[in-house]
Amino acid sequence: MGEMKMEDMPLPALFEQARKIHATATESGADQELVKKGCEALNKCENMVNRLGLFSANETKEDISTTDLKYILVPYYLAELTEKIAHDDRIPILKASQAKLKEFISFCEAMELVPKEELESYMQGVPKAVADQRAKKIARFKRQKAAESKLLEINERKERRGRSTKAAALSTPVEAGEEEQLDDDGEEEREAWNTSISLAICKAFDLLEMIKKEEEMLSAVKDRQSKEDGNQEFSKDIMDERAKKAEAWHRNAAVRAQYTKPSPPITCATFAQDVLEGRAQASQAHEHKHQPLIFGPQSLVNGSFTNERARMAAQVFQPSHRMPTMSIEEAGLKEMEIMNTWQENTARFIEEANSSWHNDRKFKPGEEEEDEDDDAAQDRARALDDWKDDNPRGAGNSKLTPCG
């Protein structure tokens, strides 16, 4: 018999097939054909669950039967497989996966399956403090490890009981304790699915945070690329406009050059420096004492310039360096003049330094010179002598002398 088509499968077989595809894609990498097949199976599972009305908003987790409990994981499996789809534009894939994760978390919240501290942090958003983020991740990691350990323990216990039951069935016939054993199996299966849902909740929160960050990064890159494209178009328009203006300017300049004569070059270095520093205008009249030497063909240099064309032809071969502004003799005379001025200033400074100007008394105009025989000066000197006679040295310290 051929393989049963996906449309003809019952819900339990379809879910089991989708669960195996999810486990294979999660553990061994994402084969795109397998991932798409798993997404198709899970979408059909979701449609069948909605048509059958297995879950109701008025129910609690205790009201859900053990056989239907596993179908709570359908949105989570679908979100994980959707995130693994390879596509050029990844943002819609991330949005679809994010929507399924939020649907799974909202339903688990309504069924009171989400831990209280995880629900509070989810409602508050991502904490700003790094320490709070670290504490939240550590607590979630501990819950995830506890769920994985419990699930592993349940599977090992189920395998041991299966082996012991098989061995007992071979040795003794089945008796009245079979019904109690079936009840234990049902409780153990319910515990296993509840643990799987708890583990899926921890992974769903981690995956949701990762998808949000990736979506923000991709959106930022997309916005930057769109801005760069717009800037490139804008820059191209500006460059085209500038090129048109430059071409028009050169065209107009070429037309004007036919009717205008260029101003003669500045050949005096001093006047050129004044023009550069703003002390003079280039259009001002200036006596150029040293005309530049003209290089060129001997026939043109020695001959007379009868027209403008001959003069311009003689100026073609010009030196690349700046020509001197004075002759060697003029430079020597200038240096001698500077040296003579320096020697005169030095002689004057030496004469002033050797003079007795500090002993010479200079008086203000209208002020008479005081003489040593001045009566007032003599009176002051006599009064000071009389005071010294009346007040000998140490007379003011009589209280300090032992016999005073």
Side-chain angles (χ1 to χ4, degrees):
M1 294 179 64
E3 186 179 357
M4 185 182 297
K5 292 183 179 181
M6 195 177 295
E7 292 80 2
D8 301 333
M9 284 185 179
L11 180 59
L14 190 61
F15 176 79
E16 188 64 23
Q17 182 184 7
R19 191 176 67 85
K20 289 180 180 179
I21 293 175
H22 171 267
T24 304
T26 304
E27 294 175 359
S28 61
D31 181 12
Q32 291 301 307
E33 294 296 330
L34 188 64
V35 168
K36 292 179 181 178
K37 184 178 179 181
C39 291
E40 184 182 358
L42 288 169
N43 281 320
K44 291 188 178 300
C45 284
E46 191 174 32
N47 293 332
M48 293 179 70
V49 168
N50 293 333
R51 284 203 311 268
L52 294 173
L54 298 181
F55 305 116
S56 174
N58 300 324
E59 294 179 342
T60 60
K61 57 183 178 181
E62 287 80 9
D63 297 333
I64 301 175
S65 63
T66 304
T67 56
D68 297 340
L69 198 62
K70 56 188 175 183
Y71 300 125
I72 297 177
L73 295 170
V74 170
Y76 168 71
Y77 289 159
L78 186 56
E80 276 203 331
L81 287 182
T82 303
E83 190 269 336
K84 295 181 183 298
I85 295 177
H87 196 269
D88 294 337
D89 190 5
R90 186 162 171 74
I91 294 181
I93 300 296
L94 296 177
K95 288 184 179 295
S97 178
Q98 188 175 352
K100 288 300 175 183
L101 286 174
K102 290 181 179 179
E103 179 183 344
F104 170 69
I105 293 173
S106 299
F107 184 78
C108 292
E109 178 187 353
M111 293 294 109
E112 298 180 354
L113 294 170
V114 184
K116 184 178 179 181
E117 56 273 14
E118 190 71 69
L119 186 60
E120 290 178 356
S121 62
Y122 175 68
M123 297 301 293
Q124 293 174 359
V126 180
K128 296 182 179 179
V130 179
D132 296 340
Q133 294 181 8
R134 184 173 179 272
K136 185 181 74 171
K137 288 183 178 295
I138 290 174
R140 185 183 299 163
F141 179 75
K142 288 181 179 180
R143 287 195 298 270
Q144 182 176 343
K145 286 298 180 183
E148 289 176 352
S149 300
K150 186 175 181 181
L151 193 60
L152 183 62
E153 179 185 353
I154 292 173
N155 291 333
E156 290 178 352
R157 191 167 63 236
K158 186 185 295 185
E159 290 178 359
R160 287 198 303 269
R161 188 169 60 254
R163 288 195 299 269
S164 62
T165 302
K166 185 176 180 180
L170 294 176
S171 59
T172 58
V174 180
E175 296 180 355
E178 183 179 1
E179 185 176 356
E180 183 179 356
Q181 185 177 354
L182 291 175
D183 292 340
D184 293 339
D185 291 343
E187 290 297 328
E188 190 174 60
E189 183 181 0
R190 188 177 187 85
E191 185 181 6
W193 285 118
N194 282 326
T195 307
S196 299
I197 293 172
S198 300
L199 180 61
I201 290 172
C202 296
K203 292 182 178 180
F205 280 112
D206 287 335
L207 183 60
L208 187 61
E209 292 180 1
M210 183 188 71
I211 288 175
K212 286 182 178 179
K213 291 180 180 179
E214 186 178 359
E215 184 182 358
E216 291 176 359
M217 293 173 60
L218 292 175
S219 299
V221 171
K222 190 174 181 180
D223 293 342
R224 186 175 60 186
Q225 288 178 351
S226 61
K227 288 181 180 179
E228 288 178 356
D229 295 339
N231 292 335
Q232 288 178 357
E233 294 178 358
F234 180 68
S235 301
K236 187 176 182 300
D237 295 338
I238 292 178
M239 295 302 293
D240 292 342
E241 184 179 357
R242 289 181 179 177
K244 291 179 181 179
K245 288 183 178 179
E247 290 176 0
W249 186 87
H250 286 294
R251 206 164 35 244
N252 296 332
V255 173
R256 289 194 305 270
Q258 299 176 3
Y259 308 102
T260 58
K261 181 180 178 180
S263 59
I266 299 175
T267 58
C268 181
T270 306
F271 182 65
Q273 189 69 23
D274 293 341
V275 172
L276 290 175
E277 295 180 359
R279 293 189 295 271
Q281 297 293 331
S283 58
Q284 292 179 359
H286 180 73
E287 183 181 358
H288 303 289
K289 295 181 180 180
H290 306 285
Q291 295 293 333
L293 299 177
I294 297 178
F295 298 84
Q298 189 69 21
S299 61
L300 293 177
V301 173
N302 294 333
S304 60
F305 301 137
T306 57
N307 54 17
E308 186 70 16
R309 181 181 180 85
R311 187 187 65 82
M312 293 179 65
Q315 290 181 346
V316 170
F317 300 100
Q318 294 295 321
S320 59
H321 58 277
R322 181 181 295 178
M323 299 301 294
T325 59
M326 64 177 65
S327 64
I328 297 176
E329 291 78 6
E330 290 177 344
L333 293 174
K334 189 71 175 177
E335 288 188 3
M336 288 182 64
E337 182 181 354
I338 294 172
M339 181 58 67
N340 290 332
T341 304
W342 179 80
Q343 288 179 352
E344 291 175 1
N345 293 334
T346 303
R348 189 176 73 254
F349 293 153
I350 292 174
E351 184 180 356
E352 290 178 359
N354 294 332
S355 64
S356 58
W357 58 272
H358 55 279
N359 292 326
D360 296 341
R361 287 192 165 186
K362 296 181 180 180
F363 304 98
K364 297 180 181 179
E367 185 179 77
E368 296 180 358
E369 182 179 358
E370 292 183 1
D371 192 35
E372 293 180 357
D373 298 335
D374 188 41
D375 295 338
Q378 290 181 2
D379 292 342
R380 286 196 298 271
R382 288 171 183 171
L384 181 61
D385 292 339
D386 294 339
W387 185 85
K388 288 183 178 179
D389 293 339
D390 296 337
N391 299 283
R393 184 176 179 82
N397 295 331
S398 61
K399 292 183 180 181
L400 300 177
T401 59
C403 300

